[in-house]
Amino acid sequence: MDENRRQAYLNLINQLLNCSSGEEAEILNVNSDFIDAGLVQIMEQVADYLANHGDENNATWLRNLAYQLGEVIAHHSAVIQTYEDFLLEVLQATADSNGNAQVVYELLESNTDKLDHILADRLWHRAILALNKTEIDAEYLVTVIANFSNRISEFTLGNKANNIELGIVGYKIVLNVFTHEAFPYEWAKAQSNLGKLYATRILGEKATNIELSIEAYYEALRVYNQEDFPYEWAVTKNNLGVAYRDRIIGDKANNIEQSIDTLQAALIVRNYDDYPYEWAMTQYNLGLAYIERIYGDKANNIDKGIATLKAALAVQTCDEFPIDWSITQNALGLAYEERIQGEKAQNIEQSIAAYKATLTIKTQAAFPVEWAQTQYNLGNAYGDRKTGCKANNIEQSIAAYKAALSVRTLEAFPYEWAQTQHNLGNAYCNRIIGEEPENNLLALEAFKASVDGAEFLREQIISGYGTKQQLAEDWNQSYINIVEIFLKLGKPTEAIEYAERSKTRNLVELILTRDTHTIFPPGVVTQLEKLRDEIASKQYQLQTATAENPISLAQHLQQLRQQRNELQDKYIRIGSSFEFKQFQTTLDDHTAVVEFYITGDKFLVFIFTRHTEQPIVWQSQPQDLEKLQKWVSGYLRAYQNHKRHWQRRLTTRLDLLAKILHIDEIIQRIPKECDRLILIPHRYLHLLPLHALPLAKGDFLCDRFFEGVSYAPSCQLLQLTQQRDRPNFSNLFAIQNPTQDLFYTNLEVEAIRSFFCSTEVLAKQAATKTALSVSQNFSSAHCSHFSCHGEFNLASPLESALILANKERLTLGEVFGLNLNQCRLITLSACETGLTDPYSISDEYIGLPSGFLYAGSSSVVSSLWTVNDLSTSLLMIKFYENLRQSENLEEGDVAIALNQAQKWLRNLTLEDFDLFLEQYKPQIEKILAKLRPGQRSLFKESLKQIRQRQPLPFANPYYWAAFTATGI
């Protein structure tokens, strides 16, 4: 026995002997790779040793466990033998019949229970073992396996996902023998077939599968050129065109154009005269591409697609090619449903007629997957139908969706299952027949199922902010619908839990992983890290198609994820497990939370404290949301295009926003004893200075709460940052005026550094990315202050940045790579450092604050617009002066200090301003001495302009309200 294997057995046995009662199964599941006869043998030896040394109880327990595992292994061995017998039988039948479909399918049909991961595993291992033997005719064997792969991948019975995986495994074996160098034609054929299988693959991430498909087709085209293999070249071009049409990664519009160009190239060979059938198939594919086309006029593109599909039907008649005819009819149904030109009602009738025609051929028994797709399409068409009885149309829509779900299961077709459940939920919401409460409950069940499908799909993604964000946007409406239905049912707690599930999920998951060591006990951390490493490794194998047994691996991954989630939930419940009551207990007695949530026709406000039995819910009227959207649109347009006008009208705009949001009504619902407020905005509300909203009595929202108004992206993220213990606040790291064009920045940093015991300042040209990266003080600082320029990149938020010396940019993507485990506060004293994407519906809060929260800071102070140099410096100096009063910062102190500084600046008179300048006269004179005469003149001119703004030069919210405190 290998010594490493033996040691692994002993380690596993040690874990079993030291685990708590009931944890044995979990440990064995995690270590399933080591459960074999060798383990049983070592367990018996250890049991003998324990008995000989007086530990009879553990010896008996271990012997019993060894016996049970032995029984399981023996049974497993018997099962494996059954699979191997079947594998030999089906491969022999394939060989004898030269891959005859009738012969092979008859055998497969009677053994559908064996078409799973075990068979895939046996196929791989037995084939590889055989190919290593010199007496085996390798070419003959892989030819048989290729024929079997063709048959199994086209087999319509059993589990479709498993059948495709078996085909992929088979072609991977083929490529071990038919190499590009030795067998170029056979290699290209295998690559082409592999490309088709990846294109239809169900397991793994769809985007990755399509990329693998495209890669395989390009490999095939290394051999299949137009001159030597025109037919094969055109077939591969056709398939490549389809793959580009379905592609998820990259720009959709460009992918469609690539698809159209590739398909039109295929028509050079696949022309009507020489290959009428193939010509029709490419016309069909081209028709779908035109319908999905983004460039050009949409209406004309759809009509061109319809004409192309009809051209295909000139060849694909029902009598000669019934299957192809039905597929094209289904595509016509989709095209007519989307058609812009012509009468809408008539277009939908044509769509329904086309779908019904499809179903005459695509029956459930013969074509379950295609039948389900057509039923789904028919459900959509009946839901949009303009003619006939509306109530009956909705019933037919519901019936069609239910029919589709008999095939579209979560396990086999997670994306399609979730998609169909969502539409079924909409149908129940619109239902006329039946009682409204019952229909609401049915709709709720469907939407929850849709969300479960989205969560399942989410687990399949290894990483990638963009992909997960797109997933969140795709299923955002299901979350909204659930929230609205729970409120109709009088269940606000459940409503806020689902609202939270749709917020900042990616950032929450990243922080949970990063802060594992501070959230969970050491023993649990070890288990979680092992599970996460194993999940990541196996997920990578599955999605990059390097797994020997993808079917088995997919099932094992689900078990691993469930174990991980159950273990995490014992300590903190977030994501799909978020519990409102658990979060509520983290609040103190004087804190209130106001959480906004924007739905399709209104905005909601959840109001709660530690002692609220359930959230108080305030709901706007539809016209309020319309006014809000119009206000935000005007606000952003003015800010982007007319900043001076935006600045002058900011006070008026905020007055109107306060009325639109009914802020006084909302605040009245907060208990009087609450003197701290946490605001949790939603979507574009993250961009607005809600703390600066004026109240009816003439004060501002931040004045109402003496202990401060702070922000959080979500309850979950706040719950995670509360786990961070950052008691110290004596070390400062600062970036000072790296672009050397901010006069008051120098005063700001010089004043702030006097409040700290230990400081490191990278000033002017010394503030480079290299200096930042090598600074030990930066990584260990309790407070990091960036006094510089900042910019938000709307097109690519991860490229938002702080500007350092030599125009170097510290991007948000790079911030995510920092490690700031000692940091209590990050202050981004720069422009637009708190902005996020106003158009995203996923509420992922992708901005510089999120990056620094992830990097380790408990609090981030950032700005919502392009700020003024002088007013920002005044605000920051006062902010730190307030913080200095707290030797050890407590939760909420940052918000208190910031709000007090904002109130001070707002009420600052010219006399007080002069006193401030006198207080910092030494620092100012020191800075002035280093300036050129022209720069000193500019300084004096700026002071003159300020004195003209009497009596309160900084009363406009533009000067005092830009900065917000996010976190704790």
Side-chain angles (χ1 to χ4, degrees), residues 302-329:
I302 292 174
D303 278 5
K304 192 170 184 178
I306 290 173
T308 308
L309 292 173
K310 286 183 174 179
L313 287 173
V315 174
Q316 296 172 336
T317 63
C318 185
D319 291 336
E320 271 197 271
F321 304 104
I323 294 174
D324 300 314
W325 174 85
S326 67
I327 292 172
T328 307
Q329 288 289 349

Side-chain angles (χ1 to χ4, degrees), residues 700-716:
F700 294 87
L701 181 61
C702 55
D703 299 332
R704 158 69 175 79
F705 298 91
F706 180 76
E707 292 295 322
V709 175
S710 62
Y711 291 78
S714 67
C715 292
Q716 300 172 80

Side-chain angles (χ1 to χ4, degrees), residues 105 154-157 160 321-327 358-375 403-404 406-408 413:
Y105 286 169
E154 296 169 359
F155 188 53
T156 58
L157 301 181
K160 182 68 174 176
F321 304 104
I323 294 174
D324 300 314
W325 174 85
S326 67
I327 292 172
T358 301
L359 291 172
T360 62
I361 305 298
K362 295 289 185 180
T363 63
Q364 183 176 10
F367 303 96
V369 176
E370 294 83 353
W371 174 84
Q373 175 65 56
T374 307
Q375 289 288 357
S406 66
V407 173
R408 292 180 153 193
F413 303 97

